[in-house]
Amino acid sequence: MPTFKKEEMRFRISESAVTGAKFVLERAMDLDVGVNGLQSYSLEPTDNFILKLHNQLDGSKKVEMLLQKHLDRETEDHITLTLTARDGGEPQLSGTMRVEISVLDANDNAPVFTQETYKVTVMETAPRGTILSIVSAIDADEGSNGKVVYSITNTLDDVPNLFQIVEESGVVSLIGNLDYEKTQRYEIHVQASDDGGLTDSCKIIVEVTDTNDNEPSINIMSKTKSVTENSKAGTVITIINVQDSDSGDNGNVDCSIEGNMPFLIKATSKKFYSLVTDSDLDRELASDYNITVTCSDKGVQPLSSSVTIALEISDVNDNPPVFERSLYEAYILENNTPGFSIFTVKAADADWNQNARVSYILEDSSINGVPVSSYVSVSADSGVIHAVRSFDYEQIKDFQFRIKAQDGGSPPLSSNVTVKILIQDQNDNPPQVLYPVQTGGSMVAEMVPRSADVGYLVTKVVAVDVDSGQNAWLSYKLQKATDRALFEVGLQNGEIRTIRQVTDKDAVKQRLTVIVEDNGQPSRSATVIVNVAVADSFPEVMSEFTDFPQDKEYNDNLTFYLVLALAVVSFLFITCLVVIISVKIYRWRQSRILYHSNLPVIPYYPPRYSDTLGTGTLPHVYNYEVCRTTDSRKSDSKFGRADNQNMLIMDPSSTGTMQRMQSQKSILDEPDSPLE
């Protein structure tokens, strides 16, 4: 049932009170809640006043009485009203309070507060006597009608026990102890009234703040020292526990990470937080992190604490080698030496250690059907490309191949690049004369009629150079001529023309030597001999050219080789003759020495012999080796003759001995023998 604390309220209202003047009435109190609680107010009668309700933050309603019709003290100097409070229950209960109004005379200005709401913040530890605020109301009346008195109208809460207001000055101060954990907010309703009974009201909102005197405490529950760079987002790095002994916001902790890092701190349960990866990691951008986790409470003056977590990012082979260029071009002069270093390719790998170790491989391919490895090679460690062979620009002008850079990861990653080698020409080929054709044995001549005018085209020397560029630019010059005043050669086209009119005095046989030079450095050249016949008819030419000497250089060379061959043959003949004579003289001297020697004769029996008759020791075939001294010429040597000439030789090897014996016998029997 709604009830009022007072049975009646008395008001003194001036008759000059303006329409709309407000008078705060006491609020009713109902112990029931919900629908059974206080629902409405009504004021009766409503001739001069009406009731106005204001909803408050605490759910209650502020009850005001508004003047809707001017008062007239002469007609009615006292008004009695009944304020009724009703609930919403069944049956509906109500409570009443009398409102006694005394109408005063001539005070027609009510006090007015400078602001309707005052806001004050005070700490829970504020001492008693602390001034919270000063309210002010202005009354335009003079004398006693302009004197304002302040009062606190709260009746249903602890405000009158905690706060007080000085009636004359409007100073609001603390008279009790505040407790943030019990009440964090107060509303003080203040009324200003003058002596004429006019009033105004305002409210003071007091916010009580907690005293934050404890900083959060961080405890690391688990920790990972390293994580791979390919870890997925959400991978847990560290779990921490945070404690704060304060209450409310002072004990409510938020944790954050300093700096822009790919990590996130999130609460997993009450007072527990997890440090996890928030995005993809890349060791190539950052190989390690020092993660500072800061936990702060929500106090007015927040306290915080921090902890630093060191984390290393381990490498994963996720980056292939990258070449410095997408296409390499290199130049090399032809006729290079095999093994020549052409240039170097370079690839970098952003990974680390073994994953960043790059090896260079020449990919298999062919150039004109020949393996590329027979042209170039590449160093696996340095990427230096070497020429395997000597290049010839006239055979190949350029070629390309691919090189693969492969790291040492598992599995390995690789990338390719195209290398183009351009061979530069050198002036290594002399010009080649195509016309006129130079023959060794036959003679070719160009005919010029004697009626030829100036500029007559005799012939054209045609030459080519297999080199390229300026090395193949050819120029023609007349080196020798029978009559230089008769012919000239075009510098660029090689055309031989007459430079004057041909006369009868000009010789029929004209010999021109043209030199062809290229434009290389140094230049190379070739010469050609052009025979020109100045005649009007072919028989005339034949008669003149029948004894035309062949190429002098060719004849000179032929003569030289013939003379050289004759000299060699003569030398060999004389040498053989001297050797033969020397051998003859040597043999003659040896025979003379043997004739004058006096050495004893030593018989020699051959290992095989046969008996002629098979009867005994005689007759035998004997063989003697005769040695004489220088004085042995005076002695005689006689050899026995075999009695039987028909001897049978059994051993074929004895034949030579027998023949020598017969020969020696014949020599000794000759009267002219040198042994005698």
Side-chain angles (χ1 to χ4, degrees), residues 558-627:
L558 182 60
T559 303
F560 170 75
Y561 290 129
L562 290 174
V563 172
L564 180 62
L566 182 60
V568 172
V569 171
S570 300
F571 174 76
L572 293 176
F573 175 75
I574 294 172
T575 302
C576 292
L577 187 61
V578 171
V579 171
I580 293 172
I581 295 173
S582 299
V583 170
K584 290 291 184 181
I585 295 173
Y586 175 75
R587 288 181 177 179
W588 181 79
R589 287 179 60 86
Q590 290 294 326
S591 64
R592 294 292 299 173
I593 293 172
L594 182 61
Y595 176 76
H596 293 289
S597 64
N598 193 22
L599 296 175
V601 177
I602 302 173
Y604 170 75
Y605 299 96
R608 296 180 181 91
Y609 63 92
S610 62
D611 294 337
T612 57
L613 298 178
T615 57
T617 60
L618 292 177
H620 292 284
V621 179
Y622 294 97
N623 183 20
Y624 294 91
E625 291 182 0
V626 179
C627 297

Side-chain angles (χ1 to χ4, degrees), residues 286-500:
S287 60
D288 58 74
Y289 292 92
N290 288 321
I291 309 168
T292 300
V293 179
T294 301
C295 296
S296 303
D297 57 29
K298 296 181 180 179
V300 176
Q301 295 180 349
L303 300 178
S304 64
S305 57
S306 302
V307 63
T308 299
I309 301 171
L311 180 66
E312 294 182 357
I313 309 300
S314 57
D315 187 44
V316 174
N317 191 26
D318 57 348
N319 292 281
V322 178
F323 285 95
E324 295 175 347
R325 285 183 278 177
S326 60
L327 174 66
Y328 287 90
E329 286 189 355
Y331 297 86
I332 181 174
L333 288 173
E334 65 173 334
N335 303 320
N336 59 287
T337 57
F340 177 77
S341 175
I342 302 176
F343 76 109
T344 302
V345 295
K346 194 70 176 178
D349 196 312
D351 291 323
W352 181 74
N353 205 0
Q354 184 68 24
N355 294 332
R357 186 170 300 169
V358 179
S359 299
Y360 301 92
I361 302 170
L362 180 64
E363 291 192 345
D364 292 335
S365 62
S366 61
I367 302 171
N368 298 328
V370 179
V372 69
S373 58
S374 64
Y375 284 83
V376 293
S377 65
V378 60
S379 174
D381 296 328
S382 62
V384 178
I385 298 177
H386 297 275
V388 175
R389 61 168 64 179
S390 179
F391 298 116
D392 187 353
Y393 177 82
E394 286 69 42
Q395 294 182 359
I396 182 171
K397 294 178 174 55
D398 62 76
F399 62 92
Q400 65 182 21
F401 53 91
R402 293 180 68 82
I403 291 180
K404 179 171 70 174
Q406 180 174 290
D407 60 26
S410 179
L413 300 179
S414 63
S415 60
N416 300 321
V417 71
T418 299
V419 179
K420 186 174 184 180
I421 304 296
L422 298 106
I423 301 171
Q424 294 179 319
D425 185 41
Q426 282 187 322
N427 193 25
D428 57 344
N429 292 283
Q432 298 177 3
V433 178
L434 301 181
Y435 184 84
V437 180
Q438 301 296 292
T439 59
S442 62
M443 182 269 299
V444 179
E446 303 289 341
M447 288 187 61
V448 177
R450 292 188 179 276
S451 60
D453 294 332
V454 176
Y456 178 81
L457 178 60
V458 178
T459 187
K460 181 176 182 179
V461 178
V462 180
V464 294
D465 195 319
V466 295
D467 291 324
S468 66
Q470 66 178 9
N471 295 330
W473 297 350
L474 301 180
S475 59
Y476 303 84
K477 297 177 182 178
L478 185 60
Q479 187 179 36
K480 295 179 182 179
T482 304
D483 187 354
R484 279 186 172 272
L486 182 57
F487 301 101
E488 68 175 358
V489 178
L491 181 63
Q492 303 297 331
N493 54 22
E495 294 179 349
I496 300 177
R497 296 180 180 271
T498 59
I499 57 177
R500 63 174 175 80

Side-chain angles (χ1 to χ4, degrees), residues 15-16 36 46 53 85 169 181 187 265 279 287 289 314 338 351 353 359 373 379 425 472 500 524 548 554 559 649:
E15 63 176 339
S16 59
N36 296 326
T46 58
L53 303 177
S169 60
E181 286 68 31
E187 288 189 9
I265 187 79
S279 60
S287 60
Y289 292 92
S314 57
D351 291 323
N353 205 0
S359 299
S373 58
S379 174
D425 185 41
R500 63 174 175 80
R524 292 178 176 268
F548 199 98
Y554 173 77
T559 303
I649 306 301

Side-chain angles (χ1 to χ4, degrees), residues 58-113:
D58 57 358
S60 62
K61 294 182 179 181
K62 179 181 178 182
V63 183
E64 291 183 343
M65 182 177 63
L66 270 69
L67 179 65
Q68 67 172 350
K69 182 180 178 181
H70 289 289
L71 299 177
D72 187 359
R73 180 180 176 279
E74 286 70 27
T75 302
E76 188 177 15
D77 61 349
H78 187 82
I79 299 174
T80 300
L81 303 176
T82 301
L83 177 64
T84 304
R86 296 181 177 85
D87 61 14
E90 290 293 334
Q92 188 180 50
L93 301 178
S94 63
T96 60
M97 180 183 68
R98 294 191 313 277
V99 179
E100 301 290 339
I101 300 174
S102 298
V103 181
L104 302 178
D105 186 39
N107 188 16
D108 54 354
N109 291 292
V112 178
F113 282 99

